[in-house]
Each structure stands twice: as C-alpha cells, then as structure tokens.
C-alpha cells in the first residue's frame, strides 16, 4: 500500500510526481523584481509531491498531494506558491496544514480577496471560481496536504498576467497585507 509521512508531507511509495520551483522559475511572481534578480536563482521556494491514481483530466477522480513552501523573502515579500485558478473554474479543493505558519490567499473572479491563517491542523475549503496561493509567513517550512479533482487543471496564465489583488509583505518580520 502506498503511504505518506504525515508530518513531512512526503510520500513513502506510490506513483508519485514531484515538482520543485526555484526562484528562477518564478519570474514576475514577486513584486520586487530587483530583489528577485539579485538572489540565487537556484534557491528552492517550494516543492510539490502528488499522486495520480487516474489520468489527469479524468472526471470525478481525485488527486492527493503535499506542498512544502520554504521560509524566505524576496524583498519584503514572503516566499509563496505561484497560485492559480482551476482551469475548470467550478472545481474546489481542500488544503490542510501540518507544519509551519502561513496565509492562504483566496481571490474570486471579481478580484475580491480574503485570507485564511494557516497553522498546524488548519483546514481550508477552497470553493470553485477561487484562485489560491499559500504564503509562508514563518521561519520554518510551511507544509500542507491538498486534495483536488483530477479534472480541475491549473490556470497559471491569469495569475501571471494579473496577479492577486493583495500581497503578503513582511513589516518588522510580521505579515501585513499590501
Ligand atoms: C496545490 C498546488 C501547490 C503548488 O497542489 O498546485 O500547492 O502551487 P501552484 O500550483 O500554485 O504552483 C493545488 O492547489 N492543486 O490544485
Ligand atoms: Zn489548486
């Protein structure tokens, strides 16, 4: 049987896919482009592991995966995921945090945004039509599990083009919305 290490957010076995996002992969995501350029592009910002028991695009299936967002900042902005709407807009998702502290930034299609605090045990239901981005506001890795429909797909282009309507910035080490 496939199994996971709950606390580290990693899989022991199974048909696992893995992606690593480094600073060089995240051009245009952070506000302070000069600070981004001055940093080592090799720096890992986050990694994702997930299991696909059915083929991507299959209707009514589910995927299960974890994300580890490293602690860090680009200028005043905390390390975070790119964030996306689901390509099939009405598809929802669950996130649950196992370690670290962060902010889940949520934004609907009218660009109205809201935030939920991520802390060990926090459970987040992300409804359809809602872009989502996880921001690590602490100084340890932010680790969370997620479950999403296998036909949700990911629309990164809308966020690459227009961004989120709010950013999470560090002021005196504390997160503020900007
Ligand atoms: C998550 C995310 C993961 C990485 O599994 O894909 O946290 O974030 P980005 O996909 O925005 O780079 C999820 O929301 N899946 O749908
Ligand atoms: Zn998603």
């Amino acid at each position: 049987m496939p199994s996971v290490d709950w606390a580290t957010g990693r899989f022991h076995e199974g048909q696992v896919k893995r992606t690593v996002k480094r600073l060089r992969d995240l051009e245009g995501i952070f506000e302070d482009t000069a600070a981004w350029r001055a940093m080592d592009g090799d720096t890992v910002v986050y990694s994702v592991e997930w299991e696909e028991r059915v083929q991507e695009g299959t209707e009514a299936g589910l995927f299960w995966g974890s994300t580890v967002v490293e602690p860090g900042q680009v200028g005043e902005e905390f390390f975070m995921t790119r964030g996306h709407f689901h390509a099939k807009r009405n598809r929802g998702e669950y996130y649950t945090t196992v370690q670290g502290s962060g902010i889940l930034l949520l934004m609907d299609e009218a660009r109205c945004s809201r935030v939920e605090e991520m802390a060990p045990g926090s459970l987040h239901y992300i409804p359809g039509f809602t872009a989502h981005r996880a921001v690590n506001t602490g100084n340890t890795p932010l680790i969370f599990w997620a479950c999403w429909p296998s036909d949700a797909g990911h629309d990164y282009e809308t966020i690459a083009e227009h961004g989120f309507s709010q950013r999470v910035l560090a002021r005196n080490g504390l997160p503020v919305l900007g």
Side-chain angles (χ1 to χ4, degrees):
M1 280 289 281
S3 62
V4 298
D5 183 336
W6 198 247
T8 61
R10 302 285 81 147
F11 288 79
H12 292 306
E13 324 164 26
Q15 291 285 83
V16 175
K17 299 199 173 187
R18 181 175 165 84
T19 59
V20 178
K21 294 292 171 204
R22 298 172 191 276
L23 274 173
R24 77 163 66 82
D25 305 316
L26 300 172
E27 184 167 11
I29 295 294
F30 295 96
E31 190 168 42
D32 189 339
T33 40
W36 173 79
R37 215 162 264 130
M39 291 175 75
D40 180 357
D42 261 349
T43 307
V44 173
V45 179
Y46 63 97
S47 59
V48 188
E49 279 188 7
W50 73 102
E51 194 195 56
E52 297 188 357
R53 299 269 181 116
V54 293
Q55 223 188 338
E56 169 142 40
T58 303
E59 201 178 305
L62 295 169
F63 291 155
W64 171 259
S66 65
T67 303
V68 178
V69 185
E70 302 298 335
Q73 283 177 222
V74 176
E76 285 195 317
E77 201 167 15
F78 291 108
F79 278 10
M80 60 190 181
T81 60
R82 280 179 294 174
H84 56 269
F85 284 99
H86 288 152
K88 279 203 173 135
R89 283 289 193 274
N90 66 354
R91 299 307 197 246
E93 181 162 4
Y94 269 112
Y95 279 8
T96 187
T97 313
V98 293
Q99 192 202 288
S101 54
I103 285 178
L104 178 60
L105 195 50
L106 300 165
M107 180 181 76
D108 68 19
E109 290 188 297
R111 298 186 58 74
C112 283
S113 61
R114 62 193 171 88
V115 297
E116 292 185 3
E117 196 181 329
M118 299 180 81
S122 64
L123 181 63
H124 308 276
Y125 178 67
I126 300 161
F129 304 96
T130 305
H132 38 290
R133 162 180 281 169
V135 183
N136 184 351
T137 57
N139 46 28
T140 59
L142 173 68
I143 304 175
F144 60 93
W145 289 99
C147 186
W148 66 100
S150 48
D151 65 347
H154 296 98
D155 168 11
Y156 294 108
E157 291 72 30
T158 302
I159 295 302
E161 210 175 314
H162 305 288
F164 278 73
S165 47
Q166 283 190 304
R167 290 183 179 272
V168 184
L169 304 170
R171 294 275 154 76
N172 304 318
L174 295 175
V176 293
L177 290 174

